[in-house]
């Protein structure tokens, strides 16, 4: 079993920055894909960024150049540095993991079996 706990959300003004953290515990596996998702009430959960065990990354177009996903294997943690935040980035942000994956071949929420509880990010104009 894997447990994921997000932190670092908050309220910022447009143009500001936040750093989200995701702490993982339990059996992770040497091969995995971890991801950040976000969801606004009434809308589908959206993949934001992924990172695999080799630290290969991918991003949804709307955050490229503004968000950076990273990980610290020694701490079993993943991060999302969010710069130049916009009001449309307002959402509940989740981290997720798929164990045993050689690469991050999907940003579909259904591909990830383990999820955190989410952390709220609110960006005001």
């Amino acid at each position: 079993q894997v447990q994921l706990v997000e932190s670092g959300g908050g309220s910022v003004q447009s143009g500001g920055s936040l750093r989200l953290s995701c702490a993982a515990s339990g059996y992770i596996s040497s091969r995995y894909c971890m991801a950040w998702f976000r969801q606004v009430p009434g809308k589908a959960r959206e993949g934001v960024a992924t990172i695999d065990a080799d630290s290969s990354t991918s991003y949804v177009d709307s955050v490229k150049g503004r968000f950076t996903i990273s990980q610290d294997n020694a701490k079993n943690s993943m991060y999302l540095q969010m710069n130049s935040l916009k009001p449309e980035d307002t959402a509940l942000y989740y981290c997720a993991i798929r164990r045993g994956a050689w690469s991050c071949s999907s940003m579909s929420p259904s591909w990830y079996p383990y999820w955190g509880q989410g952390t709220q990010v609110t960006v005001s104009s």
Side-chain angles (χ1 to χ4, degrees), residues 27-102:
Y27 177 64
I28 305 299
S29 169
S30 60
R31 304 300 309 180
Y32 58 84
C33 174
M34 294 191 75
W36 286 100
F37 286 81
R38 63 187 180 187
Q39 189 168 24
V40 175
K43 293 191 175 181
R45 194 166 294 189
E46 175 190 36
V48 175
T50 66
I51 188 166
D52 66 18
D54 296 327
S55 293
S56 294
T57 61
S58 66
Y59 299 89
V60 67
D61 285 347
S62 59
V63 308
K64 284 180 180 177
R66 300 189 298 122
F67 291 10
T68 302
I69 189 172
S70 63
Q71 63 186 343
D72 184 335
N73 291 332
K75 296 182 179 180
N76 278 350
S77 293
M78 175 179 67
Y79 308 97
L80 187 68
Q81 178 66 42
M82 305 186 295
N83 299 329
S84 302
L85 282 161
K86 304 175 181 180
E88 51 264 43
D89 294 318
T90 295
L92 188 60
Y93 282 71
Y94 298 90
C95 65
I97 187 171
R98 181 181 179 96
R99 298 181 301 182
W102 284 91

Side-chain angles (χ1 to χ4, degrees), residues 105-120:
S105 58
S106 176
M107 262 198 202
S108 171
S110 62
W111 197 66
Y112 297 83
Y114 300 102
W115 293 81
Q117 82 290 347
T119 185
Q120 178 68 37

